[in-house]
Amino acid sequence: MKIEIRRTTKSDLTSVLSLYDGKKSMDEISWVLKDFYGEGFRSFVALNDKNTIIGHIGYIISKYCINDLVFNGMHNMMWIVNEEARGSAGLKLFSKNVKMGDFGFAIGASKFTKKIFPLVKYQYHFDIFQYYKLINPIFFPKFKRGSVSIQKVQNFNFSFDYQNNSRNVFYNLPSKEHLNWILDCPLVQTTGFKIKENGKTIGIVIVYIKTRSQFIRTGRVVHISFLGEDENKWTQTINLINKYFFERKCYLVFFPASYSKLVDELLKCGYKKSSYISKPLYIDNSKNNLPKIKKDNFHLTFLESDLGYRNF
């Protein structure tokens, strides 16, 4: 069967949606695939010899740094193929994305993609766990305030200095367009913050809240900037985020984390590691661009993928 791969157009979205058999909405796929730098979509479709869409793959590309090195990382999104066409169509779609970026990676994988990854040089590295906290709905304990504060923002159309005083830590350098896209998710309640220290902006936070009923709300910290090695910055920021959730009557909070210092501070702030909620990290470094990075020195969040709004 002849298979054609081309970039997705607006008129393709209905056919892409049909591949999910009612499990996704048009609002979801339109937002996930939107090219936040301009017109069009960050994705490709596969067509058979009858010009019918039988598969789809999206992507997102972000800048990452470690020490003084900067790389473009490509993460696949919404990779799906009609069951009758799996195999060549899926691999052709994937190979279209592989050409982009200095390295490829994936956070999370279905049974199908886990089988495919070894064929496309994606290697398993470790699991990224979520940490959760039950916030007392009646009383929020006092905490020691310091020089750090958070300020709610409507968008991220401003600049700030990343806390890049740590060697050998791998973290994201998102553009304002990328951050605004995360903030614009139509499926949950979103809030963005500046993290400030002595009046100077040193990072940002994005949180999502999902209302499951009139009385049950769950929250997730989708992204927090890398804040360096000063544990007080992490602790103060975490406590301020918890206070926001308390004020919003959101008492169950999830916080994905991989960087060891962030994990340590979450545990000190009363978070517990969920042994049941984790996502595997796969990396394709076949272009040999990335240096060797220790497991504890990856600062990864849900900014990197389309997982932030799902399953919480």
Side-chain angles (χ1 to χ4, degrees):
M1 178 175 65
K2 182 181 178 182
I3 298 173
E4 176 191 355
I5 308 295
R6 63 163 172 77
R7 188 165 288 277
T8 304
T9 65
K10 187 174 182 179
S11 61
D12 295 329
L13 294 184
T14 300
S15 296
V16 172
L17 183 63
S18 68
L19 294 172
Y20 286 94
D21 195 26
K23 295 178 181 178
K24 292 189 180 294
S25 68
M26 184 60 76
D27 283 346
E28 179 179 349
I29 67 169
S30 298
W31 168 72
V32 169
L33 302 175
K34 176 185 176 182
D35 183 351
F36 41 74
Y37 290 112
E39 301 295 327
F41 302 92
R42 295 174 282 101
S43 73
F44 299 94
V45 290
L47 300 94
N48 62 16
D49 47 14
K50 296 180 181 179
N51 207 36
T52 299
I53 291 176
I54 57 172
H56 168 270
I57 194 168
Y59 64 88
I60 188 164
I61 297 176
S62 289
K63 290 190 181 299
Y64 292 81
C65 73
I66 181 168
N67 300 329
D68 298 321
L69 304 174
V70 178
F71 307 95
N72 287 317
M74 189 280 299
H75 191 290
N76 298 291
M77 308 168 80
M78 293 183 64
W79 182 24
I80 187 170
V81 178
N82 185 303
E83 287 190 7
E84 297 177 359
R86 282 187 175 177
S88 59
L91 287 173
K92 284 188 176 182
L93 281 165
F94 200 92
S95 64
K96 192 74 174 179
N97 276 3
V98 165
K99 298 175 183 177
M100 299 184 288
D102 299 314
F103 70 97
F105 70 109
I107 300 176
S110 66
K111 292 181 180 178
F112 172 69
T113 53
K114 286 179 180 178
K115 292 179 180 178
I116 292 289
F117 277 161
L119 303 177
V120 291
K121 301 179 181 179
Y122 271 59
Q123 297 182 341
Y124 169 79
H125 278 246
F126 57 86
D127 284 346
I128 300 174
F129 286 90
Q130 291 201 51
Y131 296 79
Y132 68 93
K133 182 178 178 67
L134 292 169
I135 296 176
N136 188 321
I138 300 173
F139 172 73
F140 190 83
K142 292 183 178 180
F143 58 91
K144 184 179 179 180
R145 293 184 177 272
S147 57
V148 174
S149 62
I150 60 174
Q151 176 185 334
K152 191 183 299 187
V153 297
Q154 297 299 315
N155 57 58
F156 293 104
N157 297 332
F158 54 85
S159 59
F160 60 91
D161 295 327
Y162 284 93
Q163 302 299 288
N164 57 355
N165 57 344
S166 296
R167 305 297 293 175
N168 303 318
V169 178
F170 181 81
Y171 60 96
N172 190 303
L173 296 171
S175 65
K176 64 182 180 181
E177 291 86 359
H178 187 165
L179 294 171
N180 286 334
W181 169 69
I182 295 290
L183 194 61
D184 286 341
C185 178
L187 306 173
V188 291
Q189 177 187 334
T190 71
T191 308
F193 299 93
K194 289 180 179 180
I195 305 172
K196 306 184 79 171
E197 183 180 37
N198 297 319
K200 180 181 179 181
T201 301
I202 60 171
I204 67 96
V205 173
I206 301 175
V207 303
Y208 286 174
I209 292 177
K210 181 174 288 186
T211 302
R212 298 188 175 278
S213 70
Q214 184 177 356
F215 303 105
I216 301 176
R217 294 178 180 175
T218 54
R220 176 179 282 162
V221 180
V222 177
H223 180 67
I224 182 170
S225 297
F226 178 65
L227 298 178
E229 297 186 358
D230 184 345
E231 63 182 32
N232 289 323
K233 291 180 183 178
W234 291 107
T235 302
Q236 290 176 48
T237 304
I238 292 167
N239 282 327
L240 289 166
I241 294 169
N242 291 341
K243 186 173 184 292
Y244 172 77
F245 281 124
F246 172 80
E247 292 169 347
R248 299 300 301 165
K249 296 180 171 59
C250 180
Y251 306 125
L252 176 58
V253 178
F254 296 93
F255 205 133
S258 58
Y259 177 49
S260 58
K261 188 167 290 293
L262 172 56
V263 170
D264 289 344
E265 299 314 309
L266 285 171
L267 295 174
K268 290 178 184 177
C269 291
Y271 281 78
K272 298 182 183 300
K273 179 180 179 179
S274 173
S275 300
Y276 302 100
I277 308 177
S278 64
K279 296 295 180 182
L281 171 67
Y282 292 84
I283 295 179
D284 168 23
N285 193 30
S286 56
K287 297 176 184 177
N288 295 315
N289 287 319
L290 293 182
K292 188 174 181 179
I293 306 168
K294 292 182 179 180
K295 170 186 172 181
D296 291 343
N297 285 352
F298 282 87
H299 175 59
L300 299 174
T301 69
F302 280 155
L303 181 74
E304 281 83 8
S305 70
D306 60 341
L307 294 172
Y309 66 93
R310 289 156 46 189
N311 303 324
F312 76 101

